[in-house]
Short mmCIF file of all heavy atoms in Angstrom, two decimals:
data_model
loop_
_atom_site.label_atom_id
_atom_site.label_comp_id
_atom_site.label_asym_id
_atom_site.label_seq_id
_atom_site.Cartn_x
_atom_site.Cartn_y
_atom_site.Cartn_z
N GLU C 5 -47.17 -45.85 31.56
CA GLU C 5 -48.08 -44.76 31.33
C GLU C 5 -48.06 -44.36 29.87
O GLU C 5 -46.99 -44.12 29.35
CB GLU C 5 -47.53 -43.51 32.21
CG GLU C 5 -48.41 -42.28 32.05
CD GLU C 5 -47.85 -41.10 32.79
OE1 GLU C 5 -46.94 -41.36 33.69
OE2 GLU C 5 -48.29 -40.03 32.60
N LYS C 8 -50.97 -39.72 25.54
CA LYS C 8 -51.66 -39.46 24.26
C LYS C 8 -51.69 -38.00 23.92
O LYS C 8 -51.76 -37.16 24.78
CB LYS C 8 -53.13 -40.00 24.26
CG LYS C 8 -53.13 -41.47 24.46
CD LYS C 8 -54.55 -42.03 24.24
CE LYS C 8 -54.45 -43.51 24.35
NZ LYS C 8 -55.67 -44.17 23.97
N ARG C 9 -51.60 -37.72 22.63
CA ARG C 9 -51.57 -36.31 22.16
C ARG C 9 -53.04 -35.87 22.01
O ARG C 9 -53.92 -36.64 21.64
CB ARG C 9 -50.94 -36.27 20.79
CG ARG C 9 -50.59 -34.92 20.34
CD ARG C 9 -49.93 -35.08 18.98
NE ARG C 9 -50.63 -34.23 18.08
CZ ARG C 9 -50.18 -33.86 16.98
NH1 ARG C 9 -48.94 -34.20 16.62
NH2 ARG C 9 -50.95 -33.11 16.16
N ASP C 12 -56.80 -31.45 19.71
CA ASP C 12 -56.80 -29.98 19.38
C ASP C 12 -55.45 -29.44 19.06
O ASP C 12 -55.28 -28.36 18.66
CB ASP C 12 -57.44 -29.22 20.51
CG ASP C 12 -56.72 -29.48 21.81
OD1 ASP C 12 -56.06 -30.41 21.96
OD2 ASP C 12 -56.91 -28.58 22.67
N VAL C 18 -43.94 -31.33 22.07
CA VAL C 18 -43.21 -32.22 22.85
C VAL C 18 -44.08 -32.93 23.90
O VAL C 18 -44.81 -32.25 24.57
CB VAL C 18 -42.01 -31.49 23.59
CG1 VAL C 18 -41.21 -32.45 24.51
CG2 VAL C 18 -41.11 -30.85 22.64
N TRP C 23 -38.94 -38.33 26.19
CA TRP C 23 -37.45 -38.33 25.99
C TRP C 23 -36.79 -39.37 26.89
O TRP C 23 -35.72 -39.84 26.58
CB TRP C 23 -36.91 -36.91 26.33
CG TRP C 23 -37.11 -36.51 27.71
CD1 TRP C 23 -38.22 -35.84 28.15
CD2 TRP C 23 -36.33 -36.75 28.86
NE1 TRP C 23 -38.09 -35.63 29.58
CE2 TRP C 23 -36.90 -36.11 30.02
CE3 TRP C 23 -35.07 -37.32 29.04
CZ2 TRP C 23 -36.38 -36.18 31.21
CZ3 TRP C 23 -34.51 -37.34 30.34
CH2 TRP C 23 -35.19 -36.82 31.32
N GLU C 26 -36.75 -42.54 24.80
CA GLU C 26 -35.83 -42.42 23.62
C GLU C 26 -34.40 -42.45 24.15
O GLU C 26 -33.50 -43.05 23.46
CB GLU C 26 -36.20 -41.15 22.93
CG GLU C 26 -37.46 -41.13 22.26
CD GLU C 26 -37.91 -39.88 21.62
OE1 GLU C 26 -37.17 -38.85 21.77
OE2 GLU C 26 -38.91 -39.87 20.99
N ASN C 35 -24.96 -51.03 22.72
CA ASN C 35 -24.41 -52.40 22.80
C ASN C 35 -24.79 -53.12 21.45
O ASN C 35 -25.84 -53.12 20.97
CB ASN C 35 -25.24 -53.17 23.90
CG ASN C 35 -24.79 -52.66 25.22
OD1 ASN C 35 -23.61 -52.40 25.50
ND2 ASN C 35 -25.69 -52.53 26.10
N ARG C 37 -24.92 -56.20 20.51
CA ARG C 37 -25.84 -57.26 20.50
C ARG C 37 -27.26 -56.89 20.47
O ARG C 37 -28.15 -57.58 20.04
CB ARG C 37 -25.64 -58.24 21.78
CG ARG C 37 -24.49 -59.24 21.88
CD ARG C 37 -24.52 -60.29 20.77
NE ARG C 37 -25.36 -61.42 20.91
CZ ARG C 37 -24.95 -62.64 21.10
NH1 ARG C 37 -23.67 -62.94 21.47
NH2 ARG C 37 -25.82 -63.62 21.04
N ILE C 38 -27.53 -55.76 21.10
CA ILE C 38 -28.90 -55.35 21.15
C ILE C 38 -29.26 -54.38 19.96
O ILE C 38 -30.45 -54.36 19.45
CB ILE C 38 -29.23 -54.43 22.44
CG1 ILE C 38 -28.87 -55.51 23.66
CG2 ILE C 38 -30.56 -53.98 22.54
CD1 ILE C 38 -28.98 -54.80 25.00
N GLU C 43 -30.76 -62.15 18.11
CA GLU C 43 -31.36 -63.14 18.97
C GLU C 43 -32.70 -63.69 18.37
O GLU C 43 -33.49 -62.92 17.87
CB GLU C 43 -31.65 -62.62 20.31
CG GLU C 43 -30.49 -61.82 20.98
CD GLU C 43 -29.18 -62.63 21.00
OE1 GLU C 43 -29.27 -63.82 21.11
OE2 GLU C 43 -28.12 -62.01 20.85
N ASN C 44 -32.77 -65.03 18.46
CA ASN C 44 -34.01 -65.69 18.03
C ASN C 44 -35.05 -65.81 19.13
O ASN C 44 -36.26 -65.89 18.86
CB ASN C 44 -33.77 -67.03 17.47
CG ASN C 44 -32.92 -66.92 16.17
OD1 ASN C 44 -33.03 -66.04 15.47
ND2 ASN C 44 -32.03 -67.90 15.89
N GLY C 46 -36.88 -64.60 22.70
CA GLY C 46 -37.15 -63.39 23.55
C GLY C 46 -36.43 -63.46 24.86
O GLY C 46 -36.05 -62.39 25.35
N THR C 48 -33.52 -64.67 25.43
CA THR C 48 -32.09 -64.32 25.27
C THR C 48 -31.94 -62.75 25.11
O THR C 48 -31.07 -62.18 25.67
CB THR C 48 -31.58 -64.97 24.05
OG1 THR C 48 -31.83 -66.36 24.12
CG2 THR C 48 -30.03 -64.78 23.82
N LEU C 49 -32.88 -62.16 24.40
CA LEU C 49 -32.88 -60.75 24.25
C LEU C 49 -33.08 -60.04 25.58
O LEU C 49 -32.38 -59.07 25.90
CB LEU C 49 -33.92 -60.28 23.28
CG LEU C 49 -34.02 -58.73 23.09
CD1 LEU C 49 -32.74 -58.22 22.50
CD2 LEU C 49 -35.15 -58.44 22.15
N ILE C 58 -27.12 -53.47 33.57
CA ILE C 58 -26.15 -53.57 34.61
C ILE C 58 -24.88 -52.81 34.20
O ILE C 58 -24.21 -52.22 35.03
CB ILE C 58 -25.83 -55.08 34.85
CG1 ILE C 58 -27.02 -55.77 35.55
CG2 ILE C 58 -24.54 -55.27 35.64
CD1 ILE C 58 -27.00 -57.29 35.52
N ALA C 61 -25.39 -49.22 34.81
CA ALA C 61 -25.33 -48.81 36.25
C ALA C 61 -23.91 -48.88 36.77
O ALA C 61 -23.51 -48.09 37.60
CB ALA C 61 -26.22 -49.83 36.97
#
Side-chain angles (χ1 to χ4, degrees):
E5 179 182 346
K8 294 191 178 189
R9 193 177 124 161
D12 56 341
V18 178
W23 62 271
E26 292 172 356
N35 291 319
R37 279 302 281 247
I38 298 174
E43 311 308 326
N44 291 328
T48 309
L49 178 62
I58 292 170

